[in-house]
Amino acid sequence: MVQGKWFAPGSDLSALLPVREAVFGRGADALDALSWNTLVYEDSVPAATGRIWWEDGAFRLGDLAVLEERRRRRLGDLVLRLLLFKAQSHAAREVRLRCPRDLTGFFERLGLRPQPSGSGDADIVEMMIPGDQIDLDTCKNCPKASCPNRT
Ligand SMILES: CC(C)(COP(=O)(O)OP(=O)(O)OC[C@H]1O[C@@H](n2cnc3c(N)ncnc32)[C@H](O)[C@@H]1OP(=O)(O)O)[C@@H](O)C(=O)NCCC(=O)NCCS
């Protein structure tokens, strides 16, 4: 079973920090006091995490991480959807993140688009989606014609 849990700014993050540490090699930092963190459990095991915070007029997503041995099972997709839903439910004007260039495709699936870079680092891409374009409809591209949800 897959379950998601939210941690408000200032919460005890001991349940999710091992995931962040395993993937990025770093633990808690000052940004956690300003962030909503989410943790996704797979069969009661902490497996994926990410966070969202407000910065310079936009919501920012970051530190989206899935344990290596649990990747490609849609846990990353779930974390991204949870974070975008949090932004949407706070009427975000725009949502931004920085990601490695080879991950842009993962974020583009949910509508984020590369922005002109100001970072000076060619391997890092700034991605953005206007809040009113966030679309979390998982059924949108489903080819099933006979789904009871549609009839
Ligand atoms: C990026 C990451 C979170 C993806 O997590 P994941 O659980 O493996 O991804 P999912 O299984 O949810 O993938 C969902 C979809 O994205 C696609 N996808 C996954 N990784 C991708 C990538 N690197 N590039 C393009 N598409 C990707 C999957 O094929 C899947 O597509 P589908 O809907 O057609 O089946 C994970 O690889 C990770 O933790 N990477 C290291 C940490 C990192 O760099 N985080 C980003 C920091 S901003």
Side-chain angles (χ1 to χ4, degrees), residues 23-24 63-66 70-78 97-100 102-103 105-107 109:
V23 175
F24 296 117
D63 293 319
L64 208 153
V66 179
R70 293 178 184 270
R71 289 183 191 162
R72 299 283 174 167
R73 303 221 284 262
R74 297 199 155 268
L75 300 180
D77 179 72
L78 175 58
L97 62 88
R98 287 188 194 97
C99 71
D102 63 351
L103 279 187
F106 173 76
F107 293 103
R109 294 168 47 262

Side-chain angles (χ1 to χ4, degrees), residues 36-112:
W36 281 84
N37 276 273
T38 189
L39 175 61
V40 166
Y41 295 83
E42 188 180 41
D43 299 329
S44 305
V45 177
T49 186
R51 60 183 171 176
I52 180 168
W53 66 97
W54 173 258
E55 184 184 305
D56 294 336
F59 281 93
R60 281 208 162 266
L61 313 186
D63 293 319
L64 208 153
V66 179
L67 290 179
E68 198 161 357
E69 64 274 20
R70 293 178 184 270
R71 289 183 191 162
R72 299 283 174 167
R73 303 221 284 262
R74 297 199 155 268
L75 300 180
D77 179 72
L78 175 58
V79 171
L80 181 56
R81 284 173 186 276
L82 287 167
L83 295 171
L84 288 174
F85 179 74
K86 179 66 83 180
Q88 194 177 43
S89 60
H90 283 78
R93 201 164 47 82
E94 55 183 40
V95 180
R96 292 179 169 268
L97 62 88
R98 287 188 194 97
C99 71
R101 184 163 297 282
D102 63 351
L103 279 187
T104 55
F106 173 76
F107 293 103
E108 281 176 331
R109 294 168 47 262
L110 283 172
L112 287 118

